[in-house]
Amino acid sequence: MAEPENSYPIDPENAGELARLMQQDRLLTEGMGGLLPEPGIRLPERGRVLDLACGPGGWALELAFHYPKAEVIGVDISRQVIEYARAQAWSRGLENAHFEVMNVMEPLAFEDGSFDLINGRLLAGFMLPGAWPKLLAECDRLLKPGGVVRLTETEAPLTTSPAYERFASLVAQALKRAGQSFSADGRHLGITPVLPRLVRKAGFEQVRLRATVVEWSMGTEAHYPVFKDYLLGLELVQPFLVKVGVATREELERLYQQAVAEMQQDDFCALWHLLTVWGYKPLASHE
């Protein structure tokens, strides 16, 4: 069972979700053009990195591999994914990668000014709107002067599948109903337009944006991996949608089957948009 304070819409202890998150980790890194593709983000050789809600640890493990003198720490609320990430670090001999069970919506057990870079990808799936300013204040506390916070978020993909679009709208409505959305009307997740402002309001400077788009239309290289990601995601999110009352199990099952069929048609077209926002902790206090 998931821990009670976990607001993630999918049971994180589900083995299918673990597999989905591992695949999604790779998809994100490849789609965005690498581990740290943003211009101007430089990790010191012996830098310390914190990966928020790291899941199975894919990004953190790859970073630890490519920066062997850096220390990379991943935190996640799910003990199962942390144990998996630790086993991966051990099997790959990555002694500079460490993983701890922590809830990023609570204060984190690290000293002030102890990181050069704090990374977070797709946190909006579980973050309550009111928790974002607290998390960004915590990032400010944990970063060294000049350190970087780097956050990547997304909205639902745009597709030519009527059934998928309907399903995505139900997910957006459910998150709005559950109080886990920035959307004005429940039609989107609503995180991407507000994220730059949240980072600026937290006191970070030189805040910049980088958009990435992954095409996963039929016939493209990304079609099957992204389709598989959403196939699992749409299946695993159904109990949450039923629980908040946006649809019945029978309605969702019909919609799911229809979406699966439509997403495999020859003329299926789809884009997945990602937005990375990063900013720097001021070098000196403005007091």
Side-chain angles (χ1 to χ4, degrees), residues 12 45 61-62 81 83 95 101 111 150 157 161 177 180 187 193-194 197 205 214 242 247 253 264 266 274-275 280:
E45 190 184 25
L61 291 162
E62 284 304 306
V81 299
E83 286 172 359
E95 293 180 9
V101 178
E111 292 181 10
R150 173 188 186 258
S161 161
R177 197 174 285 190
Q180 289 177 233
R187 290 195 301 157
V194 302
R197 182 172 182 268
E205 298 181 337
V214 177
V242 173
E253 187 53 37
Q264 295 180 91
D266 287 345
L274 298 153
L275 179 70
Y280 299 80

Side-chain angles (χ1 to χ4, degrees), residues 166-187:
R166 172 71 183 138
F167 209 121
S169 76
L170 290 173
V171 173
Q173 285 172 42
L175 287 167
K176 179 75 174 171
R177 197 174 285 190
Q180 289 177 233
S181 167
F182 279 102
S183 176
D185 57 7
R187 290 195 301 157

Side-chain angles (χ1 to χ4, degrees), residues 12-13 15 17-23 25-26 54-59 61 76 78-92 99-101:
E13 310 300 333
E17 178 62 358
L18 181 63
R20 188 183 78 86
L21 291 173
M22 286 158 51
Q23 171 72 11
D25 245 343
R26 289 190 290 272
C54 64
W59 183 86
L61 291 162
D76 198 279
S78 167
R79 187 166 299 280
Q80 180 177 314
V81 299
I82 288 297
E83 286 172 359
Y84 175 86
R86 285 173 177 165
Q88 288 293 303
W90 179 82
S91 70
R92 293 175 63 177
F99 297 93
E100 302 292 338
V101 178

Side-chain angles (χ1 to χ4, degrees), residues 5 11 14 19 30 32 43 51 60-61 73 111 117 123 137 145 159 174 182 208 213 215 222-223 230 242 268:
E5 73 268 37
D11 176 6
N14 183 299
E30 285 171 20
M32 291 164 64
L43 182 62
D51 191 23
L61 291 162
I73 300 173
E111 292 181 10
L117 171 70
L123 307 184
T159 79
F182 279 102
R208 297 182 63 187
V213 62
E215 186 194 2
H223 173 261
Y230 279 95
V242 173
F268 174 71

Side-chain angles (χ1 to χ4, degrees), residues 31-59:
M32 291 164 64
L35 293 163
L36 292 171
E38 293 75 29
I41 295 186
R42 296 283 176 271
L43 182 62
E45 190 184 25
R46 297 186 181 276
R48 288 189 87 217
V49 179
L50 177 61
D51 191 23
L52 301 167
C54 64
W59 183 86

Side-chain angles (χ1 to χ4, degrees), residues 111-168:
E111 292 181 10
D112 294 5
S114 52
F115 292 99
D116 297 283
L117 171 70
I118 297 179
N119 180 67
R121 305 199 303 190
L122 307 192
L123 307 184
F126 66 86
M127 281 287 287
L128 305 176
W132 279 98
K134 295 173 193 166
L135 174 61
L136 285 160
E138 190 68 350
C139 291
D140 179 64
R141 178 184 77 79
L142 294 173
L143 282 168
K144 298 172 185 174
V148 181
V149 64
R150 173 188 186 258
L151 300 168
T152 301
E153 291 298 337
T154 187
E155 303 288 335
L158 293 173
T159 79
T160 55
S161 161
Y164 174 80
E165 293 300 311
R166 172 71 183 138
F167 209 121

